[in-house]
Amino acid sequence: MINITGILFLFLCFRIFRLLIRMKQPVIFPVTEEDLQEIRIQPKKSVELPIINQQKTGLLWLGLTLLFLLILVVFDLLSTSKDLSYAVIPLLVLFTFNQVWNLFAIVENGVLCGGRFVSWKNIQSYHFEGIDQNHRFYGYSPEVNSGYELWITTKFSEVSCIVTSEAVKEKLAGILDGHVS
């Protein structure tokens, strides 16, 4: 059990340090307040700047998760029994990790989306999906109903955000076309 819990702990430590380092890079997009209002990770709330002061919720949840994993690692080291039932909780946290970060930014080396950093070399493609009546985000707000969902495909997964205006969609397409081959 120490292997699984320890690996999860080290993986989350790696992700937080990587994210914090990338947040300090110069931001290519969004640079204006209007751009910030037109990009969303969650349908009802526009994104915040990639500054540590504005990403306190994500940092708090990550800190609590790391503390919990550290307690599990110490507990596992001191315990003689091998009960795996408590190992499910850190795995659930990993699945919802990106949702607690209200972050989308394009920086020099790639894209910050939720709690993930995707480098340019890992991006294989992107596409915009229109939000219509059959879309999962339809109905949250009038801005979202007429918007798009941007999907960025990497080697192993996808990240997405909501774009609520045509002008921002064109800006994003221009930036992504310049970096994605």
Side-chain angles (χ1 to χ4, degrees), residues 20-172:
L20 291 174
I21 289 169
R22 300 301 181 197
M23 284 173 63
K24 292 184 180 196
Q25 291 182 339
V27 175
I28 296 171
F29 181 86
V31 291
T32 66
E33 187 64 35
E34 293 81 25
D35 291 344
L36 279 172
Q37 296 301 318
E38 302 294 331
I39 300 288
R40 299 165 187 224
I41 296 295
Q42 295 125 7
K44 293 187 177 185
K45 186 176 182 185
S46 58
V47 295
E48 301 288 339
L49 287 172
I51 300 171
I52 293 173
N53 289 342
Q54 294 194 4
Q55 298 296 329
K56 290 181 182 176
T57 303
L59 284 170
L60 175 67
W61 278 105
L62 184 65
L64 291 173
T65 302
L66 288 175
L67 179 65
F68 180 70
L69 281 175
L70 184 62
I71 291 169
L72 284 179
V73 168
V74 171
F75 177 74
D76 194 39
L77 285 173
L78 298 176
S79 175
T80 56
S81 68
K82 295 298 177 191
D83 183 20
L84 298 177
S85 61
Y86 61 87
V88 174
I89 296 171
L91 291 173
L92 293 175
V93 170
L94 283 177
F95 289 121
T96 61
F97 182 76
N98 290 337
Q99 297 303 316
V100 297
W101 294 88
N102 192 22
L103 173 66
F104 180 86
I106 296 176
V107 294
E108 290 178 347
N109 294 341
V111 178
L112 297 168
C113 187
R116 290 193 55 197
F117 170 74
V118 181
S119 68
W120 292 121
K121 67 180 180 179
N122 291 335
I123 297 176
Q124 292 183 331
S125 65
Y126 76 93
H127 70 277
F128 290 93
E129 180 181 314
I131 297 176
D132 58 8
Q133 291 180 345
N134 297 324
H135 196 276
R136 64 186 173 137
F137 292 136
Y138 187 81
Y140 282 99
S141 70
E143 297 88 20
V144 171
N145 291 345
S146 60
Y148 303 91
E149 186 172 15
L150 168 63
W151 287 94
I152 299 174
T153 306
T154 66
K155 292 179 181 176
F156 303 109
S157 64
E158 291 182 325
V159 294
S160 69
C161 72
I162 300 168
V163 180
T164 60
S165 77
E166 190 71 35
V168 172
K169 176 188 170 196
E170 296 302 321
K171 284 183 190 178
L172 280 170

Side-chain angles (χ1 to χ4, degrees), residues 9-27:
F9 179 76
L10 292 175
F11 177 70
L12 282 176
C13 287
F14 168 76
R15 281 185 73 173
I16 184 61
F17 288 123
R18 184 177 182 193
L19 189 66
L20 291 174
I21 289 169
R22 300 301 181 197
M23 284 173 63
K24 292 184 180 196
Q25 291 182 339
V27 175

